[in-house]
Amino acid sequence: MEPQPQPVPNDALRAQGVIVTSLEDLYNWGRRNSVWPLQFGLACCAIEMIATTMARFDMARFGSEVFRPSPRQADLMIVSGTVTKKMVPQIVRLYNQMAEPKYVVAMGACAISGGPFKQGYNVLKGIDRYIPVDVHIPGCPPRPEALLHALMTLQEKIGSQRLTGEDRPRHLRAEAPSEFAIPVHGKHDIEPPCNPEVWSAPSGAPGAAAGGGGTTEPGAGGGR
Ligand code: SF4
C-alpha cells in the first residue's frame, strides 16, 4: 500500500511565505476591515461619534475612519441621537439608498428606545421599529470606547458570516428585503407606526395583537 501524503501544517507553510485561507475568510476579512459609516448625526450622541474619529480614540485603527457623505458609498449607518418622528422617513430613505451588505448601529438610549424623551409625542421609541439594527449601544451618551466596542462586535459578526447555507446573512438571501416602505406623517402620528417586517411589540404589550404598533390616536396612552 502506497504511503499517503501528509498535510503540511499551516505554520510550516507560513514560514515559507505561503498563506492558506478560504475565499469566505478572505471576503469577510476585507469587508470587516473596511466598514465605512454614513456621515450623519442626530443629536448629542453624534458628538461622541465625532470624538471617536479623532486622534485620542482613532477609529482609523479599525478601518472605519472613512465617513461617507453619500449613502451609496456607505456600509454602516450609525444612528447617533434622538430620532424624532419627523426624521424617520429620512432615515429609512437613507437606509434604502445604501447598497448591500449594509449594517446599522443604534447608538445611545435615544436611538434604541427614545431615551430621556421616550414619553415625548414627537420621539420614536427606537429606530429598530423601522430598520433592522445589528448592534445596540446603551448609554446617554455612550462614550467613544462603547462605539469602538460596537464596531468590534460588528466586525466579529461580519467575520463569522457564511456565504452559503441556511445561516447565510440577510444580504445573501434573495427573498430578504433590502429596502422598506418609507413611513409618512399622517393626521395624528407617523404611519405606519412600525415596520412589521423588522419589528413587533413584545407579547403582552399594548397594541401587540394589532401588529405591534400601538395606537396612533392622540390621547390614548401616548401612541408610540
Ligand atoms: S442618548 Fe443622551 S446623549 Fe444621546 S442623543 Fe439621547 S439625550 Fe443625547
Side-chain angles (χ1 to χ4, degrees):
M1 186 173 164
E2 294 238 339
Q4 295 296 311
Q6 295 298 310
V8 182
N10 276 355
D11 286 348
L13 287 172
R14 201 168 290 125
Q16 298 172 46
V18 178
I19 296 174
V20 179
T21 186
S22 65
L23 178 63
E24 190 170 72
D25 285 344
L26 188 63
Y27 175 80
N28 287 345
W29 172 80
R31 287 198 304 118
R32 75 169 180 261
N33 290 297
S34 58
V35 178
W36 292 356
L38 180 60
Q39 185 175 326
F40 90 119
L42 297 174
C44 5
C45 275
I47 304 300
E48 299 295 320
M49 179 183 71
I50 295 166
T52 313
T53 66
M54 299 291 115
R56 185 179 180 89
F57 297 100
D58 194 14
M59 201 174 183
R61 291 176 292 155
F62 301 87
S64 295
E65 75 278 20
V66 190
F67 277 63
R68 304 308 306 178
S70 163
R72 305 287 186 200
Q73 303 164 345
D75 311 296
L76 171 64
M77 172 181 275
I78 303 173
V79 183
S80 53
T82 317
V83 183
T84 60
K85 291 178 181 174
K86 197 164 188 175
M87 279 302 293
V88 174
Q90 280 63 257
I91 293 174
V92 177
R93 183 176 288 113
L94 286 170
Y95 178 85
N96 288 348
Q97 291 173 345
M98 290 169 67
E100 292 282 9
K102 53 188 170 184
Y103 305 95
V104 176
V105 167
M107 179 181 184
C110 282
I112 66 178
S113 68
F117 312 112
K118 187 179 178 72
Q119 301 305 327
Y121 71 93
N122 61 334
V123 172
L124 189 69
K125 296 180 177 66
I127 191 59
D128 56 1
R129 294 180 181 224
Y130 286 98
I131 55 176
V133 173
D134 296 279
V135 183
H136 296 77
I137 315 176
C140 178
R143 282 188 50 85
E145 292 95 329
L147 180 54
L148 292 179
H149 183 264
L151 186 57
M152 291 161 68
T153 303
L154 183 62
Q155 288 180 321
E156 284 173 17
K157 181 174 181 174
I158 295 172
S160 65
Q161 287 178 340
R162 305 275 70 95
L163 302 186
T164 56
E166 277 305 303
D167 57 347
R168 65 191 188 282
R170 181 179 52 84
H171 71 273
L172 295 176
R173 295 178 179 277
E175 75 281 7
S178 73
E179 295 184 16
F180 300 109
I182 297 172
V184 297
H185 297 111
K187 188 176 176 187
H188 299 300
D189 208 338
I190 192 166
E191 296 174 356
C194 70
N195 176 358
E197 291 182 273
V198 299
W199 190 85
S200 60
S203 58
T215 177
T216 59
E217 291 300 315
R224 291 176 45 72

